[in-house]
Structure formats: C-alpha cells, structure tokens
Amino acid sequence: MEITQALEQSRPGMIRDVENAISQRQLNQRTQQTYLHWISRFVLFHGLKDPDELALEDQQQFLNYLKNQISLSRARLNQASQALSFFFEDVLHKPTIGNTAAA
C-alpha cells in the first residue's frame, strides 16, 4: 500500500481534494509529492481518523512527535509544518497553528 492511500482510507476523495487545492495554488510537482507525503503521514499517525475530525491539537501533537521522537531536521520539520498548514487552510478550510513547529 502506498502511503497516500491512507488519505483515501481516512475519507474517500481526499487525495483529489488535496490535488485540487495544490492545482489552485499552482504548486509544482515536487511540492505536491512532499505535501501528499506529510499529509498522509499525519493521517496515519492519527489512526486514519477522518481529517475533518482532526484539530489544531492533533497537528501540534504530530509536529512535536516529529521534532522530539523522530528528531527530524529543522528543514524537514518546516516542510511538514507547511504541508499541514496547507492541508488545514486550503483543503479542510480550518485554522492552523502556522509555521511555528521549528521554533
């Protein structure tokens, strides 16, 4: 199973929603791949929970896990944070914590 299939398992049509939002922002293919990767890892981290049920606390919990348990580099942590900000704002239309994970 590809990691992005987690998005479809959490909510059918989610990959399409993410790809549509990426297209609207005219992001390049590499950014699309990176965002899909981090968004999928986020959904997997939370047990394939429907993304509409996830909140800011879930976003912060995942970023703290990446920072403290995985010891992700600052650059990768920023990528993950930007991907989640995009996901919450542009796909789920929810507020986000912004790009403060690496602070």
Side-chain angles (χ1 to χ4, degrees):
M1 173 172 85
E2 286 187 36
I3 192 169
T4 54
Q5 289 176 332
L7 290 176
E8 285 300 304
Q9 288 184 359
S10 67
R11 187 173 89 199
M14 182 54 67
I15 290 177
R16 183 191 65 245
D17 293 346
V18 172
E19 289 174 343
N20 286 341
I22 287 170
S23 178
Q24 287 178 347
R25 289 194 65 203
Q26 299 178 344
L27 302 175
N28 66 38
Q29 184 178 1
R30 182 64 183 135
T31 301
Q32 177 179 343
Q33 292 169 343
T34 300
Y35 279 15
L36 281 170
H37 170 82
W38 286 116
I39 293 166
S40 297
R41 284 190 62 180
F42 172 68
V43 169
L44 281 169
F45 179 80
H46 289 291
L48 301 175
K49 193 175 188 179
D50 184 334
D52 285 327
E53 297 176 17
L54 297 170
L56 295 176
E57 298 80 28
D58 299 309
Q59 183 180 359
Q60 190 60 56
Q61 181 184 24
F62 178 66
L63 293 172
N64 285 337
Y65 167 77
L66 294 176
K67 181 178 181 179
N68 300 322
Q69 302 296 319
I70 304 297
S71 300
L72 216 57
S73 71
R74 180 179 286 266
R76 300 281 311 259
L77 194 58
N78 281 335
Q79 281 181 343
S81 179
Q82 289 171 353
L84 293 181
S85 291
F86 165 81
F87 184 54
F88 271 73
E89 291 172 5
D90 292 272
V91 179
L92 300 177
H93 307 290
K94 292 181 171 184
T96 182
I97 60 173
N99 192 11
T100 59

